[in-house]
Amino acid sequence: MKSANLIKRIYQMLSRKQKWNFMIIILIMIISAILSQLLPLSIGKLTDDLLNQENIVFQSILPFLLFILIITVLNEIIKVIRRVIVEDTCTRCEKEARSNAVNSLLHAPLNYFKKI
């Protein structure tokens, strides 16, 4: 119960832009997971279908290799974008939380500090 309450409080601290960023991050993670699954599938198709032939022609393998290359590069670009968005969002959230804490301490009555 406490963890759900904590998550709710943290979610309320986020600005509208940060909430959208987290939605984008989740979407990027889903796309990245799908792309990660395509890579072994394409390698499996390459080994099962093309490499079992007696006469292997490079032109028949080239589309699979290009597909694997494109998926790998695209997945890595998406991962970099996700990391940048996560870092930016977390840094802004942390900065805002620290600012709120400092403001609360500055506006606290002096009796609060005597109790500590």
Side-chain angles (χ1 to χ4, degrees), residues 45-53 55-56 60-61 64:
K45 180 132 174 90
L46 176 69
T47 55
D48 291 343
D49 294 345
L50 295 177
L51 297 181
N52 284 335
Q53 299 173 359
N55 295 332
I56 300 173
S60 63
I61 299 174
F64 282 99

Side-chain angles (χ1 to χ4, degrees), residues 68-81:
I68 291 170
L69 177 69
I70 291 169
I71 287 176
T72 305
V73 169
L74 187 63
N75 198 15
E76 292 303 316
I77 290 171
I78 287 174
K79 286 180 184 178
V80 168
I81 292 170

Side-chain angles (χ1 to χ4, degrees), residues 6-98:
L6 177 64
I7 291 171
K8 185 178 178 182
R9 286 182 57 202
I10 291 172
Y11 185 76
Q12 290 172 349
M13 286 177 56
L14 298 175
S15 68
R16 175 176 242 142
K17 182 181 179 189
Q18 291 168 338
K19 290 176 186 176
W20 275 106
N21 281 348
F22 275 120
M23 295 299 190
I24 292 170
I25 291 166
I26 291 171
L27 180 68
I28 287 174
M29 289 174 66
I30 291 170
I31 293 170
S32 179
I34 292 169
L35 289 176
S36 294
Q37 295 301 316
L38 287 177
L39 186 62
L41 287 174
S42 59
I43 291 174
K45 180 132 174 90
L46 176 69
T47 55
D48 291 343
D49 294 345
L50 295 177
L51 297 181
N52 284 335
Q53 299 173 359
E54 286 190 26
N55 295 332
I56 300 173
V57 181
F58 183 70
Q59 283 77 19
S60 63
I61 299 174
L62 189 60
F64 282 99
L65 295 177
L66 287 175
F67 182 71
I68 291 170
L69 177 69
I70 291 169
I71 287 176
T72 305
V73 169
L74 187 63
N75 198 15
E76 292 303 316
I77 290 171
I78 287 174
K79 286 180 184 178
V80 168
I81 292 170
R82 179 185 50 90
R83 287 183 192 133
V84 168
I85 293 173
V86 167
E87 288 297 321
D88 181 55
T89 303
C90 290
T91 301
R92 289 175 192 255
C93 185
E94 181 182 356
K95 181 180 175 184
E96 194 171 316
R98 285 184 185 193

